[in-house]
Amino acid sequence: MSVPVRRLDPVSEQQPDAFDEIVDAQTDRDPDLAVIEAGSRTLRTQAGVPQSDAVPARPADPEVDKALREVETDLATRWGETKLEPSVSRITALMDVLGEPQRAYPSIHITGTNGKTSTARMIEALLGAFELRTGRYTSPHVQSITERISLDGAPIEAERFVETYDDIKPYVEMVDASQEFRLSFFEVLTGMAYAAFADAPVDAAVVEVGMGGSWDATNVIDATVAVVTPIDLDHTDRLGSTPAEIAAEKAGIIKEGATVILAQQPVDAAQVMLKKAVEVDATVAREGMEFGVVSREVAVGGQLLTLRGLGGEYDQIFLPLYGAHQAHNAAVALAAVEAFFGVGAEQARVLDVDTIRKAFASVASPGRLEVVRRSPTVVLDAAHNPAGARASADGITESFGFSRLIGVVGTSADKDVRGLLEAFEPIFAEVVVTQNSTPRAMDADELAALAVEVFGDERVVVEPRLDDALEAAITLAEEESEFAGAGVLVTGSVITVGEARLLLGRG
C-alpha cells in the first residue's frame, strides 16, 4: 500500500497548540512499525559495487609509509581530540586563508550520539549510486588515519593524504602564529578534508561532527541538510548532563533555511531541536511521522527492510548490517538523501527504488557488529556508551543466536563504563576485561573491579594485553565444542575494536 505524500512544512508554521503533540511523538515509535523477527531472505544479487573494506593497511611503498608516519607524528604534537577549547575561531581562520574550500560544494552535516558514522556511510552510498562524486569525513578511525577522509566511497590514498597535508601546512602554521592556541589535531584534519573535497572536486560532502555541534570544527559549513541521529548521554563533562543540554549544543549545526532530518529522540532533546528549527526557519522531518521503518525481517547476512521515505515507500531493501538500530539509521539516511534532492518539499515523488536497493546492499560499516572470524564466530562492535551497548546487545541477540557468548571489553576511562557493562551483562556468559594501547584506556584491573560488581567473580577474567584477552575468549568459546554455537564479542571502544581487527588479521 502506498503512503500518502507529505509536504515538509517549516516548524515555524505549526500552531502553538500542536507543538506538544509533535514533541510527544518523538519517543514512542509507531506501533505499526513492527519488527518481524523471522525469515532468511537475501537480496545480495541486487547489490551494487560493495563499499571498500574502508580500513586500509599501511602503504606498501616504504617511502610513502615513511611520509605518512611523519605526518602522523607531526599531527600527534597537537592537542588531541579529548582536549578542547570550545571555539570555531581557529578553523574559521584556516578556512579564510585557504579560500573557503568548504563552500565549494553542498553538504549534509550529521550530529547525534550514536549511529553517525554508519549513517554517513549509508548517505555516501546513496549519493554515489545516483552518480554524484562524494566526499565523506568521519571520526574516529578504526585503524588508519586515512579512513577519516573518503572520496567516492573509498579512503583517501596515503599519497594524497600526505600531499593534502603538505599543501595546507604553510597555512596551518600561519594560523597557529596568529591565534592564542595552535590548531588542534581534529581542526587540522577537518581543514584537510575540506581542502581535499574542493580539490577533487566533489559534488556533495557528507560530514560527521567530531563532538557536539555549535563549536565543533566541522561547523564552518552551511549544510543544506542537517541530520540528528539519536541523542543520549555521552561526553557529559563537555556537552551537558541531560539529553536537553546535549541537544542544545548539537542543534548548532542547524542553519537558516536548512532541512533537518530528526531521528527518534528523548522528549527533552526533541523539544530543543524543534525550537532551534523554529528560530532559524528550518524544515523538519521526524522519524515515525514523515519517514520511518515500516517493517524489518532478519535475513542472511543482514536484514530486509521496507522504509517509508519523504516521497513514498521503498520495499525489498536488503541492508547487510545487523540490528534494529541500523534499520533506523537507514531510514534516516534515506530521508536525508531525499531532502538533499528536494523530495518531499519541492517534489512529490520517490527516488528510483532499484538504485536505492543497490546502494543499501553495498553498504559496509567496519567495527559495527562486524564478523571477522568463524569457528568460533568473533564479532567486533565499537559500542562505547550504554545506549550503543544496548543497541548492540539487542542486535547480536536477534541476528546471531549464540548458545554462549564471551565478551572482550576494553574501554576508555572517561566513559560510563558501569552502564556499558550493565547493558551487556544479560548476554555475556563470561567477560574478559582488557585494555587498549592508548593513554585514555581504563586500567584492566580497575575495569575488572567494576566488572566483578556487575557480573560476579565467577564470570570475569582479566587479561591486560589485548592479544591475550582475545586468545582467552576464543578458548572459552571453544570449550563449548566446535559445533555448539558459542561466539565472542569484542567491544567497549573504537580503539579496542581497531586493535583487535589488526590482531585478527583484518588489517
Side-chain angles (χ1 to χ4, degrees), residues 22-30 33 228-230 260-265 284-294 307-308 310 324-333 335:
I22 294 172
V23 173
D24 290 341
Q26 296 302 310
T27 50
D28 296 318
R29 295 193 186 280
D30 184 339
L33 308 184
V228 186
T229 65
V260 184
I261 304 301
L262 193 62
Q264 292 280 348
Q265 304 292 345
V284 177
R286 299 144 294 181
E287 185 184 3
M289 297 182 76
E290 283 80 15
F291 69 93
V293 179
V294 176
L307 302 177
R308 185 174 74 243
L310 306 180
H325 60 296
Q326 293 291 15
H328 292 289
N329 289 340
V332 169

Side-chain angles (χ1 to χ4, degrees), residues 301-312:
Q303 52 194 306
L304 188 65
L305 310 176
T306 297
L307 302 177
R308 185 174 74 243
L310 306 180

Side-chain angles (χ1 to χ4, degrees), residues 91-156:
I91 188 67
T92 298
L94 180 60
M95 293 296 99
D96 184 54
V97 297
L98 288 175
E100 304 284 352
Q102 82 281 13
R103 305 200 188 284
Y105 37 80
S107 304
I108 296 176
H109 206 178
I110 307 169
T111 191
T113 301
N114 291 306
K116 295 187 296 296
T117 298
S118 292
T119 302
R121 295 176 70 81
M122 293 179 199
I123 292 172
E124 173 189 49
L126 288 163
L127 293 174
F130 284 100
E131 300 184 353
L132 294 187
R133 187 163 203 207
T134 58
R136 174 174 52 84
Y137 182 51
T138 53
S139 61
H141 56 272
V142 177
Q143 287 172 208
S144 172
I145 194 171
T146 60
E147 297 165 37
R148 296 180 180 230
I149 304 173
S150 289
L151 294 172
D152 294 322
I156 190 171

Side-chain angles (χ1 to χ4, degrees), residues 3-237:
V3 175
V5 175
R6 291 180 170 86
R7 189 183 186 280
L8 301 183
D9 296 318
V11 171
S12 57
E13 294 178 15
Q14 298 285 345
Q15 297 301 314
D17 60 355
F19 186 79
D20 290 340
E21 181 180 340
I22 294 172
V23 173
D24 290 341
Q26 296 302 310
T27 50
D28 296 318
R29 295 193 186 280
D30 184 339
D32 291 334
L33 308 184
V35 175
I36 302 173
E37 296 185 3
S40 59
R41 301 180 60 183
T42 174
L43 296 184
R44 287 192 184 278
T45 55
Q46 296 186 23
V49 178
Q51 287 188 339
S52 67
D53 184 63
V55 185
R58 297 298 308 185
D61 186 327
E63 291 302 314
V64 175
D65 187 54
K66 179 183 177 183
L68 180 59
R69 290 187 187 278
E70 288 173 352
V71 172
E72 292 170 327
T73 299
D74 202 0
L75 288 169
T77 66
R78 298 181 174 276
W79 277 0
E81 290 171 283
T82 59
K83 185 172 182 179
L84 303 168
E85 193 275 317
S87 165
V88 293
S89 60
R90 293 175 301 280
I91 188 67
T92 298
L94 180 60
M95 293 296 99
D96 184 54
V97 297
L98 288 175
E100 304 284 352
Q102 82 281 13
R103 305 200 188 284
Y105 37 80
S107 304
I108 296 176
H109 206 178
I110 307 169
T111 191
T113 301
N114 291 306
K116 295 187 296 296
T117 298
S118 292
T119 302
R121 295 176 70 81
M122 293 179 199
I123 292 172
E124 173 189 49
L126 288 163
L127 293 174
F130 284 100
E131 300 184 353
L132 294 187
R133 187 163 203 207
T134 58
R136 174 174 52 84
Y137 182 51
T138 53
S139 61
H141 56 272
V142 177
Q143 287 172 208
S144 172
I145 194 171
T146 60
E147 297 165 37
R148 296 180 180 230
I149 304 173
S150 289
L151 294 172
D152 294 322
I156 190 171
E157 294 289 337
E159 296 95 328
R160 193 164 188 172
F161 185 90
V162 172
E163 289 169 2
T164 302
Y165 179 75
D166 289 343
D167 286 345
I168 76 164
K169 185 177 180 180
Y171 301 98
V172 168
E173 293 172 345
M174 187 186 307
V175 173
D176 284 344
S178 67
Q179 299 287 319
E180 181 180 1
F181 302 106
R182 295 171 72 211
L183 287 152
S184 70
F185 168 88
F186 186 73
E187 287 168 334
V188 174
L189 277 176
T190 302
M192 289 175 62
Y194 289 161
F197 296 163
D199 185 60
V202 301
D203 299 312
V206 184
V207 178
E208 174 190 334
V209 302
M211 185 186 299
S214 296
W215 44 258
D216 187 74
T218 62
N219 202 31
V220 289
I221 54 175
D222 289 320
T224 56
V225 179
V227 175
V228 186
T229 65
I231 292 173
D232 211 290
L233 299 182
D234 200 8
H235 301 297
T236 52
D237 55 331

Side-chain angles (χ1 to χ4, degrees), residues 414-427:
D414 58 348
K415 298 294 182 181
D416 180 0
V417 177
R418 179 184 292 276
L420 180 141
L421 292 172
E422 288 173 346
F424 282 122
E425 189 277 333
I427 69 167

Side-chain angles (χ1 to χ4, degrees), residues 367-452:
R368 277 75 180 177
L369 290 181
E370 178 189 18
V371 177
V372 293
R373 171 183 163 150
R374 299 286 185 183
S375 190
T377 299
V378 178
V379 183
L380 306 181
D381 191 81
H384 56 273
N385 56 46
R390 288 190 294 271
S392 297
D394 289 344
I396 205 162
T397 299
E398 173 189 77
S399 301
F400 291 88
F402 292 120
S403 59
R404 184 164 175 261
L405 183 63
I406 310 299
V408 175
V409 179
T411 69
S412 295
D414 58 348
K415 298 294 182 181
D416 180 0
V417 177
R418 179 184 292 276
L420 180 141
L421 292 172
E422 288 173 346
F424 282 122
E425 189 277 333
I427 69 167
F428 286 165
E430 295 180 72
V431 61
V432 182
V433 298
T434 188
Q435 64 191 74
N436 59 53
S437 64
T438 66
R440 292 177 60 200
M442 176 173 275
D443 177 78
D445 290 332
E446 185 180 351
L447 178 56
L450 277 174
V452 166

